[in-house]
Amino acid sequence: MPRTRALLPPVLLGVVVVALVVSGIRPYDRLTWLLETVWVIVGVPAVVLAWRRFPLTTLLCCLLAVHALILIAGGHWTYARTPMGEWARDAFALSRNPYDRLGHFAQGFVPAILVREILVRRSPLRGSRWLAPLVVCACLAFSAFFEMLEWWAAVVGGAAADDFLATQGDVWDTQWDMFLALVGAITSLALFGRLHDRQLPSPSTERSRPA
């Protein structure tokens, strides 16, 4: 089991990097690809550089890899044109490609564990009743900030930013995006809170890590 935990992070890293490179080959729109995958492009080096001082739990590594793949697919095809979303739209007679909804649910679901891990390991909130509410608030705040980024992209790019916005004609798209991020964060904590606690290092282990 320890060997599996040691091998999993580099395997996940390799999968994400390969997927990112492949997605950059003839994407539907180069600017949209860059805007959607910039979080992966920046996040992967950040995790690698911080790993010695702040190695992530197995759970968080898996969630981050899944989230990266969601972003990469959305960047390659655009969220309104992903094949998986088109299949779901046709199979369930939906009015729109729902992949964008999945992306924003993941925007709360995955960062919830990331924020929780940082707060537990780098703040006095370990075991506090305030931990979960603050994690949810942080995720919702990031979702709102992301919606402002989309707004700024629309102002700067005009019609060229339509693929990045992926509103698909829904006037309530912004509200849906933030609501789904909120639901994702709450669901993630409810499902993985105890598992995450079992994987988190003890305070004494944290103190022994190199600065």
Side-chain angles (χ1 to χ4, degrees), residues 5-134:
R5 285 199 295 268
L7 289 175
L8 187 59
V11 169
L12 293 174
L13 175 63
V15 170
V16 169
V17 170
V18 169
L20 179 63
V21 172
V22 172
S23 75
I25 301 173
R26 300 180 65 184
Y28 182 86
D29 178 76
R30 178 65 61 183
L31 176 60
T32 300
W33 176 83
L34 179 60
L35 291 173
E36 298 292 0
T37 61
V38 66
W39 307 102
V40 183
I41 295 171
V42 173
V44 167
V47 170
V48 172
L49 290 174
W51 189 264
R52 184 168 177 268
R53 292 178 290 106
F54 198 86
L56 305 180
T57 59
T58 301
L59 172 63
L60 182 54
C61 286
C62 292
L63 290 176
L64 288 175
V66 171
H67 196 190
L69 294 176
I70 291 173
L71 293 170
I72 288 169
H76 180 76
W77 284 291
T78 79
Y79 278 78
R81 297 179 179 85
T82 54
M84 184 175 72
E86 290 182 349
W87 171 85
R89 180 193 60 202
D90 296 339
F92 299 103
L94 303 175
S95 61
R96 55 175 281 156
N97 185 317
Y99 192 82
D100 179 57
R101 306 297 195 210
L102 171 65
H104 284 279
F105 179 85
Q107 191 183 71
F109 193 92
V110 176
I113 300 302
L114 173 61
V115 173
R116 189 178 193 272
E117 184 147 330
I118 293 172
L119 290 179
V120 169
R121 297 171 63 179
R122 290 292 187 265
S123 82
L125 287 170
R126 183 187 289 260
S128 170
R129 68 180 66 183
W130 287 101
L131 178 61
L134 288 174

Side-chain angles (χ1 to χ4, degrees), residues 31 35 148-162 164-165:
L31 176 60
L35 291 173
M148 286 191 280
L149 290 179
E150 290 189 341
W151 165 41
W152 297 332
V155 171
V156 174
D162 287 350
F164 176 56
L165 299 178

Side-chain angles (χ1 to χ4, degrees), residues 182-194:
L182 173 64
V183 172
I186 294 172
T187 304
S188 181
L189 295 180
L191 288 177
F192 293 131
R194 292 184 179 180

